[in-house]
């Protein structure tokens, strides 16, 4: 081994995140492609990363995509990204509807408020996707924002009817 810091994790920054991608290979090698190792598998040391020529047990995830695949496999990954895609698509559709209604000068002030809010959701979803490259454990924030978006969409319909 040759690194001064023998711990896998944040200490080695980009190198540790690159090594974590090997967790996907480990999951495939173990025949867990379909369903992964399960929630919090890393805490049970079921996940290994290829480091310095050997497979090393780990208790951390720093790359969201690796965490999703290793814990939930291809099925969980597809479900997660389908949820993500549906919310982003809904945001874009809703934003376009608001913009169209506002251009027709229907209830301009109220629609502008909801249009700006929906634009914020679009930005959040894009930032969340990018953030998964460098962090994990932010699922609760995603679900909270999805709930907020659903409530705002209901309010928008009620206010603008």
């Amino acid at each position: 081994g040759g690194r001064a810091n023998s711990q896998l994790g944040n200490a080695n920054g980009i190198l540790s995140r690159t090594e974590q991608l090997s967790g996907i290979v480990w999951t495939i090698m173990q025949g867990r492609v379909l369903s992964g190792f399960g929630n919090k598998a890393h805490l049970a040391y079921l996940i290994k990363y290829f480091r310095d020529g050997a497979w090393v047990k780990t208790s951390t995830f720093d790359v969201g995509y690796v965490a999703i695949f290793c814990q939930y496999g291809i099925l969980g990954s597809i479900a997660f990204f389908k949820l993500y895609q549906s919310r982003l698509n809904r945001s874009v559709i809703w934003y376009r509807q608001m913009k169209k209604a506002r251009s027709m000068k229907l209830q301009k002030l109220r629609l502008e408020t909801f249009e700006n809010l929906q634009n914020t959701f679009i930005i959040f979803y894009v930032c969340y996707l990018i953030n998964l490259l460098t962090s994990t454990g932010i699922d609760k924030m995603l679900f909270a924002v999805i709930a907020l978006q659903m409530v705002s969409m209901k309010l928008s319909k009620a206010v603008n009817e």
Side-chain angles (χ1 to χ4, degrees):
R3 285 191 235 157
N5 184 341
S6 63
Q7 296 294 319
L8 259 176
N10 291 326
N12 296 312
I14 292 174
L15 181 59
S16 75
R17 280 156 178 79
T18 305
E19 289 170 342
Q20 286 190 29
L21 293 173
S22 69
I24 294 172
V25 174
W26 172 256
T27 302
I28 294 168
M29 288 172 43
Q30 300 306 303
R32 297 298 192 105
V33 174
L34 207 53
S35 61
F37 287 95
N39 190 35
K40 299 185 181 179
H42 58 297
L43 298 178
Y45 292 96
L46 298 175
I47 308 300
K48 291 185 180 182
Y49 300 143
F50 195 74
R51 178 178 150 231
D52 294 335
W55 289 100
V56 179
K57 289 182 180 182
T58 187
S59 64
T60 64
F61 284 123
D62 294 323
V63 179
Y65 298 112
V66 173
I68 293 166
F69 186 83
C70 291
Q71 293 179 99
Y72 309 116
I74 195 77
L75 292 177
S77 297
I78 290 169
F80 177 84
F81 289 109
K82 185 63 183 159
L83 169 67
Y84 174 84
Q85 176 206 17
S86 72
R87 297 319 311 163
L88 182 59
N89 285 347
R90 187 66 199 130
S91 297
V92 171
I93 290 167
W94 195 42
Y95 177 78
R96 287 179 181 161
Q97 289 171 344
M98 292 290 166
K99 196 168 183 99
K100 182 179 177 183
R102 194 164 64 99
S103 71
M104 295 174 7
K105 300 196 186 309
L106 300 172
Q107 303 169 348
K108 185 176 179 182
L109 183 58
R110 287 184 277 176
L111 285 171
E112 186 175 346
T113 301
F114 285 107
E115 182 184 327
N116 289 337
L117 181 60
Q118 200 56 32
N119 195 29
T120 303
F121 287 122
I122 293 169
I123 293 168
F124 167 80
Y125 289 127
V126 170
C127 290
Y128 181 83
L129 192 65
I130 293 168
N131 192 40
L132 284 177
L133 291 170
T134 61
S135 63
T136 187
I138 54 176
D139 300 347
K140 291 177 184 171
M141 183 175 65
L142 173 66
F143 293 118
V145 170
I146 288 172
L148 286 171
Q149 181 185 27
M150 294 171 82
V151 168
S152 71
M153 291 171 85
K154 281 274 195 205
L155 283 173
S156 171
K157 286 179 183 176
V159 167
N160 291 301
E161 285 181 350

